[in-house]
Amino acid sequence: SGAYLSAKKPTTDPYAACRYTGHTGTYTSTQNGASNAQRYYTQRTATVTMGCGTFTVPAGTPVWKVATASGGRWRVNVGGSTKVLMRSADLGKTSPLPASNTSGISLSAFKRLPAGAIAEKYLARTSFGTQAVLGAPAVKSLNELNKAYRARFGEDLYIDIGYRTRSQQQYFYKVLGSKVAAKPGTSVHERALSIDLPEEAKYSWGSARFTWLKKNGPKYGWVHPARVAQYTASGALNPYREYWHFDYVGAGS
């Protein structure tokens, strides 16, 4: 689900530079060591520019400033990418999204919204940590799950990636391929009903945190789906395994 990509000069294939240079390091999270003091939020739908393409991210997306660039732009870490370009005018220190479902939309109605093109009024942010962007019906349960997690582990959940726009999913699918990114239109990230945790050992298979989340997440409607389990039903190692990915299926489901 995650992607650690740096801007490269394009060739005749606008995605070739990213595709073939690939990961520039071991991916853990979008923040990638940047200071929390340098965390900003998109104030509207904003464009992310790399040497090999562009995509948009929704209002409220957490962004970490890395450096000042020319033309009123910053180098930032955002949405699974590092040291990419964004307009500083699109960024602010507070998220414009509410931390609850102020629209009142139901989960069933929310699921009928267009994947990857969800109106801002139906989005919300978590009340903790990175204040990641999710579908409004999913936020309350995740906030409650985090309270239980914090009581157990003494820290907030770290949400690396939540909602992705269609253009963002298209970008990663072209760059990373089908074993890493879901086909555009099929990703639960585009439905704003999934989260990615950091890709690091303390959340990995068999860890105390993974075991606790897999057991307790369903009480709040958050599940680790079989499609990204470590092993398939036949016992074979799953090529699509992701310990960091959880989906919202509805509280009480």
Side-chain angles (χ1 to χ4, degrees):
S1 291
Y4 187 72
L5 307 169
S6 61
K8 299 290 182 180
K9 197 170 183 178
T11 64
T12 52
D13 173 357
Y15 296 96
C18 278
R19 182 179 295 117
Y20 298 119
T21 56
H23 298 274
T24 58
T26 300
Y27 183 87
T28 55
S29 71
T30 297
Q31 186 171 353
N32 190 34
S35 167
N36 281 325
Q38 295 302 310
R39 186 170 68 212
Y40 293 79
Y41 299 90
T42 53
Q43 300 300 294
R44 58 194 68 84
T45 299
T47 299
V48 175
T49 302
M50 301 173 68
C52 49
T54 65
F55 57 82
T56 61
V57 292
T61 299
V63 172
W64 285 267
K65 180 183 179 183
V66 176
T68 300
S70 60
R73 298 188 297 178
W74 289 349
R75 288 279 179 195
V76 301
N77 297 343
V78 58
S81 296
T82 184
K83 298 181 181 178
V84 294
L85 290 168
M86 294 188 76
R87 294 195 321 146
S88 59
D90 290 334
L91 306 174
K93 290 300 288 183
T94 59
S95 172
L97 298 181
S100 62
N101 185 5
T102 56
S103 70
I105 190 171
S106 67
L107 180 59
S108 59
F110 185 83
K111 287 180 176 180
R112 295 194 292 270
L113 298 178
I118 298 171
E120 182 179 333
K121 66 180 179 179
Y122 298 125
L123 298 173
R125 62 175 174 83
T126 60
S127 61
F128 59 90
T130 59
Q131 299 181 40
V133 180
L134 288 170
V139 165
K140 180 180 178 181
S141 291
L142 187 57
N143 288 339
E144 291 173 349
L145 173 60
N146 180 66
K147 289 179 182 178
Y149 177 89
R150 186 171 60 232
R152 170 63 179 83
F153 293 102
E155 63 186 23
D156 286 325
L157 273 169
Y158 188 104
I159 309 302
D160 183 31
I161 295 174
Y163 173 52
R164 279 186 185 149
T165 63
R166 177 61 59 88
S167 68
Q168 189 176 8
Q169 191 67 28
Q170 288 171 334
Y171 179 83
F172 286 129
Y173 185 74
K174 289 179 178 178
V175 169
L176 298 172
S178 61
K179 285 193 175 182
V180 178
K183 184 178 180 180
T186 69
S187 172
V188 188
H189 282 290
E190 292 176 89
R191 293 288 181 187
L193 295 174
S194 67
I195 57 171
D196 283 353
L197 306 178
E199 297 178 29
E200 57 185 61
K202 74 177 185 178
Y203 293 104
S204 190
W205 311 110
S207 67
R209 286 168 174 80
F210 175 80
T211 301
W212 186 93
L213 285 167
K214 187 175 180 180
K215 177 182 178 181
N216 292 280
K219 299 175 186 176
Y220 303 88
W222 287 91
V223 301
H224 186 257
R227 70 178 185 280
V228 295
Q230 189 173 14
Y231 298 99
T232 67
S234 66
L237 193 63
N238 183 3
Y240 303 100
R241 60 193 180 276
E242 295 182 356
Y243 58 79
W244 54 84
H245 183 98
F246 288 81
D247 289 341
Y248 183 65
V249 296
S253 296

